Coordinates of all heavy atoms in Angstrom, one line a residue:
Y356 N -7.6 12.5 4.8 CA -8.6 12.9 5.7 C -8.1 12.6 7.2 O -7.5 11.7 7.6 CB -9.8 11.8 5.6 CG -10.3 11.7 4.2 CD1 -9.6 11.0 3.3 CD2 -11.5 12.3 3.7 CE1 -10.1 10.8 2.0 CE2 -12.0 12.2 2.5 CZ -11.3 11.4 1.6 OH -11.8 11.3 0.3
L368 N -5.0 4.6 7.4 CA -5.4 3.6 6.4 C -5.3 4.1 5.0 O -5.7 5.2 4.7 CB -6.9 3.3 6.7 CG -7.7 2.3 5.8 CD1 -7.2 0.8 6.0 CD2 -9.2 2.4 5.9
W370 N -6.9 3.8 1.6 CA -8.2 3.4 1.0 C -8.2 3.5 -0.4 O -7.6 4.5 -1.1 CB -9.4 4.3 1.5 CG -10.7 3.9 0.8 CD1 -11.2 4.7 -0.3 CD2 -11.5 2.9 1.1 NE1 -12.4 4.0 -0.7 CE2 -12.6 2.9 0.2 CE3 -11.4 1.8 2.0 CZ2 -13.6 1.9 0.1 CZ3 -12.4 0.7 2.0 CH2 -13.5 1.0 1.0
W382 N -13.8 10.8 -4.8 CA -15.0 11.4 -4.3 C -16.1 10.4 -4.0 O -17.1 10.8 -3.1 CB -15.5 12.5 -5.4 CG -16.0 12.0 -6.6 CD1 -15.3 12.0 -7.8 CD2 -17.3 11.6 -6.9 NE1 -16.1 11.5 -8.8 CE2 -17.3 11.1 -8.3 CE3 -18.5 11.4 -6.3 CZ2 -18.4 10.6 -8.9 CZ3 -19.7 10.9 -6.9 CH2 -19.6 10.5 -8.2
I383 N -16.2 9.3 -4.8 CA -17.2 8.3 -4.5 C -17.3 7.9 -3.1 O -18.2 7.4 -2.5 CB -17.3 7.2 -5.5 CG1 -16.1 6.3 -5.3 CG2 -17.5 7.8 -6.9 CD1 -16.1 5.2 -6.3
D384 N -16.1 7.9 -2.3 CA -15.9 7.4 -1.1 C -15.6 8.5 0.0 O -15.1 8.1 1.2 CB -14.9 6.3 -0.9 CG -15.3 5.0 -1.8 OD1 -16.4 4.6 -1.7 OD2 -14.4 4.6 -2.6
H385 N -15.8 9.8 -0.3 CA -15.6 10.8 0.6 C -16.3 10.6 2.1 O -15.6 10.7 3.2 CB -16.1 12.1 0.1 CG -15.1 12.8 -0.8 ND1 -13.8 12.6 -0.7 CD2 -15.3 13.7 -1.8 CE1 -13.2 13.3 -1.8 NE2 -14.1 14.0 -2.4
R386 N -17.6 10.2 2.0 CA -18.3 10.0 3.2 C -17.7 8.9 4.1 O -17.5 9.1 5.3 CB -19.7 9.8 2.9 CG -20.7 9.5 4.1 CD -22.1 9.3 3.8 NE -22.6 10.6 3.2 CZ -23.9 10.7 2.8 NH1 -24.8 9.8 2.9 NH2 -24.4 11.7 2.4
L387 N -17.4 7.7 3.5 CA -16.8 6.7 4.2 C -15.4 7.0 4.8 O -15.2 6.8 6.1 CB -16.6 5.5 3.4 CG -15.9 4.3 3.9 CD1 -16.5 3.8 5.1 CD2 -15.6 3.2 2.9
C388 N -14.6 7.6 4.0 CA -13.2 8.0 4.5 C -13.3 9.1 5.6 O -12.5 8.9 6.6 CB -12.4 8.6 3.3 SG -12.0 7.2 2.1
D389 N -14.3 10.0 5.5 CA -14.3 11.0 6.5 C -14.9 10.4 7.8 O -14.5 10.6 8.9 CB -15.4 12.0 6.0 CG -15.6 13.2 7.1 OD1 -14.6 13.9 7.3 OD2 -16.6 13.4 7.5
R390 N -15.8 9.5 7.6 CA -16.4 8.7 8.9 C -15.1 7.9 9.5 O -15.0 7.9 10.7 CB -17.5 7.8 8.4 CG -17.9 6.8 9.5 CD -19.0 5.8 9.1 NE -19.4 4.9 10.1 CZ -20.2 4.0 10.0 NH1 -20.8 3.7 8.7 NH2 -20.6 3.3 10.9
L391 N -14.3 7.2 8.7 CA -13.3 6.5 9.3 C -12.2 7.3 10.0 O -11.9 7.1 11.2 CB -12.5 5.7 8.2 CG -13.3 4.6 7.6 CD1 -12.5 4.0 6.5 CD2 -13.6 3.4 8.6
A392 N -12.0 8.5 9.5 CA -11.2 9.6 10.1 C -11.6 10.0 11.4 O -11.0 10.2 12.3 CB -10.8 10.6 9.1
R393 N -13.0 10.5 11.4 CA -13.6 11.2 12.5 C -13.8 10.2 13.7 O -13.5 10.4 14.9 CB -14.9 11.9 12.1 CG -14.6 13.1 11.3 CD -16.0 13.7 10.9 NE -15.8 15.0 10.2 CZ -15.5 16.1 10.6 NH1 -15.3 16.3 12.0 NH2 -15.4 17.2 9.9
V399 N -6.5 8.9 7.0 CA -6.9 8.1 6.0 C -6.4 8.8 4.6 O -6.6 10.0 4.5 CB -8.5 8.0 5.9 CG1 -9.0 7.1 4.7 CG2 -9.0 7.3 7.2
G444 N -10.0 -1.5 0.5 CA -10.8 -1.0 -0.8 C -11.9 -1.6 -1.0 O -12.3 -2.8 -0.6
A445 N -12.7 -1.1 -1.9 CA -14.1 -1.9 -2.4 C -13.9 -2.2 -3.9 O -13.5 -1.4 -4.7 CB -15.2 -0.9 -2.2
V472 N -13.4 -5.3 0.4 CA -14.9 -5.1 0.4 C -15.4 -5.7 -0.9 O -15.1 -4.9 -1.9 CB -15.3 -3.6 0.8 CG1 -16.7 -3.4 0.7 CG2 -14.6 -3.2 2.1
D575 N -24.1 -1.4 -0.4 CA -23.9 -0.6 0.8 C -23.7 0.8 0.4 O -23.6 1.7 1.3 CB -22.6 -1.1 1.6 CG -21.4 -1.1 0.8 OD1 -21.4 -1.4 -0.4 OD2 -20.3 -0.8 1.4
R587 N -21.7 -2.6 6.2 CA -20.8 -1.4 6.5 C -20.4 -1.3 7.8 O -19.1 -1.0 8.2 CB -21.5 -0.2 6.0 CG -20.7 1.2 6.0 CD -19.5 1.1 5.3 NE -19.8 1.1 3.7 CZ -19.9 2.2 3.0 NH1 -19.9 3.4 3.5 NH2 -20.1 1.9 1.7
F590 N -17.5 -3.7 8.6 CA -16.3 -3.4 8.1 C -15.6 -2.3 9.0 O -14.5 -2.4 9.3 CB -16.3 -2.8 6.6 CG -15.2 -2.1 6.1 CD1 -14.1 -2.8 5.8 CD2 -15.1 -0.7 5.9 CE1 -12.9 -2.2 5.4 CE2 -14.0 0.0 5.5 CZ -12.9 -0.8 5.2
V591 N -16.4 -1.3 9.3 CA -15.9 -0.2 10.1 C -15.4 -0.7 11.5 O -14.3 -0.3 12.0 CB -16.9 0.9 10.4 CG1 -16.4 2.0 11.4 CG2 -17.3 1.6 9.0

Side-chain angles (χ1 to χ4, degrees):
Y356 308 79
L368 179 72
W370 174 260
W382 66 263
I383 65 177
D384 295 315
H385 278 332
R386 181 175 295 182
L387 173 61
C388 292
D389 183 61
R390 175 183 179 183
L391 295 171
R393 288 183 179 276
V399 180
V472 182
D575 61 323
R587 179 64 64 90
F590 168 70
V591 173

